[in-house]
């Protein structure tokens, strides 16, 4: 195995429609704990998202594209509520299994989950003050990445923030050992390592997305693509 290049031929177990539904549900439930440890969204929220929302001076609408089991929106909602920000959150994922997992989360009047993708949201006339995603980019083919990036800019009037893990030996080794206590009964160990092998480095993601995007490293082992919405 080498981490020199992206392992684009790998697929994650949970992306298989025929994967074990019990293990899949357990994986979605534990994503919240894993993402609190590795996603860096506390830093991204404080430095990038909260200033935008606060500067609006009015209630905000934020979209999480590819929201999976909904753990990111639950976390962002708690942070924004603590800061006195009025935000309505929408989580969109076309996978019915992810949508069902999100709906099983404790309800918040500020969060809604829809089974949809970016194309359908655009066609429905939806627009948002900010669009975010977490751990989506490495799943996408070059064609799907281009469409996802384009649509997210067209859905946003403000910032677009796409966060993902960055491929590297240290990230791979630390994750392999660190996730073990949370992994039993889930796909977290195998799929997490496959995700790292499929993920981009900063320069690779910048080249893949093009000039409309700025890509940097907001936290160790993380990449963040930032774009200016054009809705």
């Amino acid at each position: 195995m080498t981490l020199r290049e992206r392992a684009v031929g790998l697929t994650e177990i949970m992306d298989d429609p025929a994967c074990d539904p019990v293990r899949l549900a357990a994986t979605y439930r534990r994503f919240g704990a894993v993402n609190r440890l590795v996603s860096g969204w506390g830093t991204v929220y404080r430095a990038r998202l909260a200033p935008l929302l606060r500067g609006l001076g009015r209630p905000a609408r934020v979209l999480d594209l590819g929201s999976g089991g909904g753990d990111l929106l639950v976390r962002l909602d708690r942070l924004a509520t603590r800061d006195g920000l009025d935000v309505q959150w929408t989580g969109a994922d076309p996978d019915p299994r992810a949508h069902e997992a999100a709906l099983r989360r404790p309800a918040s009047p500020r969060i809604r989950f829809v089974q949809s993708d970016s194309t359908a949201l655009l066609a429905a006339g939806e627009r948002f003050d900010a669009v975010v995603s977490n751990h989506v980019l490495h799943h996408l083919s070059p064609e799907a990445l281009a469409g996802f990036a384009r649509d997210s800019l067209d859905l946003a009037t403000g910032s677009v923030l796409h966060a993902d893990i960055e491929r590297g030996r240290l990230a791979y080794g630390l994750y392999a050992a660190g996730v073990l206590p949370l992994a039993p009964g889930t796909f977290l160990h195998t799929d997490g390592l496959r995700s790292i092998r499929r993920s981009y480095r900063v320069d690779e993601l910048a080249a893949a997305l093009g000039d409309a995007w700025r890509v940097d490293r907001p936290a160790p082992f993380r990449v963040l693509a930032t774009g200016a919405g054009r809705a």
Side-chain angles (χ1 to χ4, degrees):
M1 184 200 72
T2 177
L3 293 169
R4 191 171 301 156
E5 297 179 349
R6 295 184 64 223
V8 295
L10 278 180
T11 57
E12 296 179 26
I13 300 171
M14 65 185 300
D15 289 337
D16 181 354
C19 72
D20 182 343
V22 175
R23 292 170 69 88
L24 179 65
T27 301
Y28 279 127
R29 286 196 301 271
R30 294 185 196 169
F31 269 151
V34 173
N35 282 329
R36 283 189 67 86
L37 294 172
V38 306
S39 73
W41 266 100
T43 298
V44 173
Y45 167 79
R46 289 189 298 272
R48 315 284 181 99
L49 186 57
L52 167 69
L53 302 178
R54 192 174 292 112
L56 292 173
R58 57 168 173 77
R61 300 183 75 225
V62 177
L63 169 67
D64 178 10
L65 271 179
S67 53
D71 60 279
L72 175 61
L73 283 194
V74 171
R75 184 179 181 193
L76 292 177
D77 178 58
R78 289 172 180 164
L79 291 171
T81 300
R82 179 201 64 191
D83 290 344
L85 298 172
D86 185 355
V87 185
Q88 293 296 312
W89 309 91
T90 296
D93 200 300
D95 189 329
R97 305 167 306 164
H99 183 59
E100 290 173 9
L103 292 179
R104 286 194 292 268
R105 288 194 172 275
S108 165
R110 297 173 297 277
I111 301 175
R112 67 167 178 146
F113 292 106
V114 296
Q115 186 182 332
S116 187
D117 61 15
S118 58
T119 302
L121 292 171
L122 278 170
E126 292 273 22
R127 298 296 182 270
F128 300 87
D129 296 299
V131 174
V132 304
S133 77
N134 189 55
H135 293 165
V136 173
L137 303 185
H138 70 266
H139 286 273
L140 304 176
S141 68
E143 297 76 15
L145 176 64
F148 184 85
R150 180 185 62 249
D151 287 354
S152 62
L153 294 176
D154 290 340
L155 283 162
T157 59
S159 294
V160 180
L161 303 167
H162 294 315
D164 210 337
I165 197 161
E166 183 176 31
R167 190 177 77 257
R169 290 191 176 278
L170 185 55
Y172 191 92
L174 290 174
Y175 182 85
V179 79
L180 288 176
L182 294 168
T186 74
F187 303 131
L188 288 172
H189 190 266
T190 299
D191 276 3
L193 294 178
R194 291 183 181 183
S195 291
I196 294 171
R197 293 178 64 188
R198 284 186 57 92
S199 65
Y200 292 90
R201 291 175 176 160
V202 167
D203 58 336
E204 296 168 343
L205 185 56
L209 288 174
D211 294 340
W213 297 86
R214 178 171 62 90
V215 181
D216 65 351
R217 187 179 291 110
F221 320 124
R222 302 295 298 174
V223 292
L224 181 70
T226 304
R230 54 196 181 197

